[in-house]
C-alpha cells in the first residue's frame, strides 16, 4: 500500500485506517519536538550562549547525518559544563511547552487502557517533570552528572546503560512489551528524528510527528500539521 493522504496534513501507508485504539496496549513517545515543542538540550545551551554549536550537532543527529548518537550527545553535554540546576529549572519553566494535543492524546490512551512510555535521548531532569505533568506510566532517558548543583559536562550511568540512543529506545519498548506480555505489534511508537526509527520499526504502528523527511517517509502515520491528538483520527478511541 502506498502513502496516501488520509486527511489534510495527515498521511498513512501500509494500514487500513481508521483503526481502533483499543487494539493496542502500549504507546511510546519521544520527548523533544514530539511531546514537547522544544529541543531541551538546545535551550539549555542557549542559557550559556552556546545554542548555535549545540543546535548544529542536534540537527545533524536528528537528520541522521551524524550516525553515532552517543558521541553526538556526549559532545553536546560537554558544552553544557557549568550550567546550574537553577538554569535547568528556568529552561523547564520558561521554555518547555507541551505539544498541541499531547495531553488529549495521552488521556485518550489511558482511557483506552494503554500504558504510556516516555523514552528519550534527553535528560531525566525534564522527562520526569513531563512524566508528572502528563501522568505517564514509564520513562527512560539520560542522567546528567551534577555536582554541587552544577553540570560537570558528563552523564551518569544507569542500571540499563549509559546513554539512551536509538537502539536503547528500541530495547526499552520491546522490554516493556515483554514485561506486559504483549506482542510488539500491540505497541505504538511516536517520534520525529532518526534516533526514533529503531523503535518505530519494531512496533505495530509507527507515527511521525512533524518529523524529518527520512522519518516521515518510513512511518505508517505521518502527522504533518496540527497536534498530536490528530492520531485519534486514525486510531479511533
Amino acid at each position: 500500500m502506498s502513502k496516501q493522504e488520509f486527511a489534510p496534513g495527515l498521511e498513512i501507508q501500509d494500514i487500513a485506517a481508521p483503526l481502533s485504539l483499543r487494539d493496542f496496549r502500549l504507546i511510546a513517545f519521544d520527548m523533544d519536538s514530539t511531546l514537547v515543542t522544544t529541543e531541551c538540550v538546545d535551550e539549555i545551551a542557549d542559557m550559556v550562549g552556546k545554542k548555535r554549536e549545540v543546535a548544529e550537532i542536534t540537527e545533524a543527529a536528528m537528520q541522521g547525518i551524524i550516525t553515532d548518537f552517543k558521541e553526538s550527545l556526549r559532545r553536546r553535554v560537554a558544552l553544557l559544563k557549568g550550567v546550574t540546576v537553577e538554569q535547568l529549572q528556568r529552561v523547564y519553566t520558561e521554555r518547555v511547552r507541551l505539544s498541541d494535543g499531547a495531553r488529549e492524546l495521552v488521556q485518550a490512551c489511558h482511557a483506552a487502557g494503554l500504558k504510556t512510555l516516555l523514552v528519550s535521548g534527553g535528560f531525566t531532569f525534564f522527562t520526569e517533570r513531563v512524566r508528572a505533568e502528563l501522568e505517564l506510566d514509564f520513562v527512560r532517558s539520560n542522567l546528567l552528572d551534577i555536582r554541587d548543583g552544577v553540570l560537570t559536562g558528563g552523564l551518569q550511568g544507569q542500571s540499563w546503560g549509559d546513554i539512551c540512543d536509538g537502539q536503547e529506545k528500541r530495547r526499552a519498548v520491546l522490554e516493556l512489551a515483554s514485561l506486559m506480555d504483549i506482542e510488539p505489534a500491540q505497541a505504538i511508537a511516536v517520534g520525529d528524528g532518526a534516533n526514533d526509527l529503531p523503535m518505530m520499526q519494531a512496533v505495530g504502528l509507527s507515527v511521525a510527528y512533524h518529523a524529518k523527511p527520512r522519518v516521515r517517509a518510513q512511518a505508517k502515520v505521518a502527522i504533518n500539521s496540527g497536534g498530536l491528538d490528530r492520531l485519534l483520527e486514525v486510531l479511533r478511541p
Side-chain angles (χ1 to χ4, degrees), residues 29-32 35 40 69 73 77 117-131 136 138-145 155-166 168-169 171-173 175 195:
F29 294 98
D30 172 48
M31 180 178 71
D32 295 294
L35 268 186
C40 292
F69 177 84
L73 186 63
V77 172
L117 167 66
L118 173 51
V119 58
S120 172
F123 310 119
T124 57
F125 187 93
F126 300 100
T127 57
E128 289 294 347
R129 286 161 172 77
V130 172
R131 175 190 192 177
L136 303 172
F138 306 100
V139 64
R140 180 161 297 185
S141 57
N142 300 305
L143 182 60
L144 291 164
D145 187 46
L155 294 162
Q156 290 188 22
Q158 300 179 72
S159 60
W160 46 263
D162 59 345
I163 291 180
C164 187
D165 61 356
E168 182 58 34
K169 287 187 176 192
R171 195 177 77 83
V173 172
E175 179 183 77
N195 70 327

Side-chain angles (χ1 to χ4, degrees), residues 156-237:
Q156 290 188 22
Q158 300 179 72
S159 60
W160 46 263
D162 59 345
I163 291 180
C164 187
D165 61 356
Q167 291 305 316
E168 182 58 34
K169 287 187 176 192
R170 178 182 184 276
R171 195 177 77 83
V173 172
L174 294 179
E175 179 183 77
L176 183 53
S178 178
L179 290 171
M180 292 175 61
D181 195 26
I182 65 172
E183 295 297 323
Q186 295 173 281
I188 305 164
V190 186
D192 73 301
N195 70 327
D196 297 314
L197 284 172
M199 71 170 178
M200 292 170 69
Q201 292 165 348
V203 300
L205 187 68
S206 53
V207 181
Y209 180 67
H210 294 215
K212 303 297 184 288
R214 177 183 169 197
V215 180
R216 194 166 63 240
Q218 297 185 46
K220 292 183 178 178
V221 178
I223 302 171
N224 301 325
S225 65
L228 278 167
D229 56 339
R230 293 209 65 192
L231 181 59
L232 299 176
E233 297 176 38
V234 177
L235 284 173
R236 300 291 166 79

